[in-house]
Amino acid sequence: MEKAIIAMSGGVDSSVAALLVKQAGYEAMGVTLRLYDNEDAGISREKTCCSLDDVNDARSVCARLDIPFYVFNFTDSFHKEVMDRFVAAYESGRTPNPCIDCNRYIKFDKLMSRAEEIGFDKVATGHYARVSQDEKTGRWLLKKGLDASKDQSYVLYSLTQKQLSHLLLPLGELTKEQTRKIAGENGFVNAKKRDSQDICFVPDGDYAAFIGRYAGKEFSPGSFVGTAGEVYGQHKGIIHYTVGQRKGLGLSFPQPMYVCGVDPVKNQVLLGRHEELFSPELTAGDINLISKPEISTPMRVKAKIRYRQAEQPATVVQTSENELKITFDEPQRAITKGQAVVLYDGDTVVGGGTIF
């Protein structure tokens, strides 16, 4: 019998994933990852997805399924690979996506390695996406979840061929409503539990306050400047701003003005009109390709530059081993350094990278 570890957050999705893995005939084990101490993030114990209640909810589901449950302590790795990267990105004028780093370095690196060490061949998660294997090429493919409103393939683009070959995504064919229905029918304590929307270690959404606490330093004020070099006033530290932002500038203009860029070297925040936010192209590095080993000729794709954005038609060219240039059919608003761009061919993830 094949063995599978299920990464369980205490939410309804990973709980139903555990049920489906067991029903599929695997020897299953539930695992909740301890990623940080709430005090490290400067937040109360009740306000985070790593709370004791979440651990107890996961344990309750495992007891109901009659499968073992453990907590793995990955706090050191999470600090290094997720929280440190998050802070470093903001300090350098970029806007990161820590959920992608958590998937890349913790769930599908650290956890898969631990699973292999203890004799478990598969790792399952509650993500809404699908894994399949191309019969012709033998390559493992990542595809969108069938529920378009819940598809999470964007945050999984960094998966390697080896990781995909050991990954189970039981919810890929389900809608969220079906998942909750299954949870209710099986008496899960978290069947109606609301979804977590925030970055887990910044549940109040105040990124700047978290960064200040975590980095243990103040971020100096600097100048708001225009695209022609004009100085508009003083900002309160670059970590407070991201491309596309309009609110919270503390300035008055005759027309709406937006953050168009952040320069950490000059400690400046660049402001411009709405039309100045648009760009026809981007360059991405630190790339990972899934559906093919390389993009040898210009390829038509749909590209997504942030999690909640609709895909946009574009042409991608691989300019080096670790770099992509993407040209959009129509200029895109607020292309943001540090975010991921993910490329699709139909419902299949071609690959992606970090915008720079």
Side-chain angles (χ1 to χ4, degrees):
M1 181 184 293
E2 282 194 288
K3 297 181 177 182
I5 281 178
I6 303 94
M8 301 183 68
S9 65
V12 65
D13 294 332
S14 54
S15 297
V16 172
L19 169 67
L20 297 177
V21 166
K22 184 178 180 184
Q23 288 179 342
Y26 289 90
E27 181 183 332
M29 180 174 81
V31 170
T32 293
L33 306 182
R34 183 184 172 200
L35 300 177
Y36 61 91
D37 295 317
N38 293 348
E39 291 76 8
D40 293 342
I43 52 182
S44 67
R45 290 187 177 276
E46 305 81 52
K47 289 190 173 181
T48 166
C49 70
C50 296
S51 70
L52 186 60
D53 285 345
D54 292 311
V55 173
N56 287 337
D57 286 349
R59 181 180 284 112
S60 168
V61 169
C62 287
R64 197 166 189 89
L65 295 177
D66 193 26
I67 63 175
F69 173 77
Y70 296 92
V71 176
F72 288 174
N73 187 343
F74 287 169
T75 53
D76 289 347
S77 296
F78 190 81
H79 270 262
K80 176 184 176 184
E81 303 293 1
V82 181
M83 298 172 85
D84 287 358
R85 289 176 186 273
F86 180 83
V87 171
Y90 267 99
E91 287 179 320
S92 61
R94 293 174 286 126
T95 304
N97 187 323
C99 297
I100 289 176
D101 284 340
C102 184
N103 286 327
R104 180 177 186 176
Y105 298 107
I106 307 300
K107 289 177 184 169
F108 303 117
D109 184 358
K110 190 80 174 171
L111 180 58
M112 278 196 169
S113 295
R114 179 70 62 84
E116 189 176 5
E117 288 171 6
I118 61 177
F120 281 73
D121 183 59
K122 301 288 187 180
V123 168
T125 74
H127 288 100
Y128 288 84
R130 295 174 292 153
V131 176
S132 64
Q133 191 172 23
D134 189 314
E135 293 181 0
K136 293 181 179 179
T137 66
R139 288 189 72 83
W140 289 90
L141 303 177
L142 174 66
K143 298 189 174 186
K144 297 176 188 175
L146 291 188
D147 184 346
S149 68
K150 291 298 295 181
D151 170 51
Q152 293 172 297
S153 58
Y154 175 87
V155 297
L156 302 177
Y157 82 87
S158 65
L159 285 162
T160 66
Q161 287 293 298
K162 180 180 178 182
Q163 289 166 346
L164 285 165
S165 73
H166 292 278
L167 178 62
L168 300 174
L169 298 175
L171 305 188
E173 308 278 341
L174 301 180
T175 65
K176 183 72 177 195
E177 291 72 23
Q178 289 172 320
T179 298
R180 287 200 183 278
K181 185 171 183 286
I182 292 169
E185 289 171 348
N186 285 273
F188 290 173
V189 66
N190 52 15
K192 296 182 179 180
K193 190 174 183 177
R194 69 177 182 86
D195 293 337
S196 175
Q197 300 292 336
D198 303 302
I199 294 173
C200 65
F201 54 88
V202 196
D204 61 0
D206 192 344
Y207 304 151
F210 163 77
I211 293 166
R213 290 192 302 267
Y214 190 83
K217 64 181 182 182
E218 298 288 329
F219 289 85
S220 302
S223 296
F224 281 120
V225 298
T227 51
E230 59 271 49
V231 176
Y232 292 129
Q234 191 174 69
H235 67 68
K236 54 187 179 181
I238 63 169
I239 62 169
H240 292 271
Y241 309 95
T242 187
V243 172
Q245 181 177 333
R246 177 184 172 188
K247 296 181 179 179
L249 302 180
L251 299 173
S252 179
F253 295 96
Q255 74 283 330
M257 295 288 276
Y258 300 80
V259 175
C260 291
V262 177
D263 186 338
V265 176
K266 295 181 180 179
N267 194 24
Q268 293 178 338
V269 175
L270 180 68
L271 302 182
R273 298 181 302 279
H274 187 254
E275 58 267 27
E276 293 178 278
L277 279 174
F278 288 80
S279 176
E281 62 185 29
L282 65 82
T283 303
D286 192 20
I287 70 172
N288 182 61
L289 298 178
I290 296 177
S291 65
K292 50 177 59 189
E294 62 179 357
I295 299 174
S296 54
T297 58
M299 181 180 180
R300 292 292 293 169
V301 293
K302 294 286 187 70
K304 196 170 181 176
I305 59 171
R306 59 181 59 87
Y307 183 46
R308 293 296 180 192
Q309 186 218 29
E311 301 155 28
Q312 301 296 318
T315 300
V316 59
V317 176
Q318 186 171 353
T319 53
S320 70
E321 182 181 354
N322 207 26
E323 191 171 299
L324 300 172
K325 182 177 180 181
I326 297 155
T327 304
F328 294 93
D329 291 9
E330 300 289 340
Q332 297 301 300
R333 183 187 184 278
I335 295 174
T336 305
K337 294 178 181 179
Q339 289 285 292
V341 57
V342 179
L343 311 177
Y344 293 86
D345 180 8
D347 66 353
T348 300
V349 176
V350 177
T354 304
I355 299 169
F356 66 81

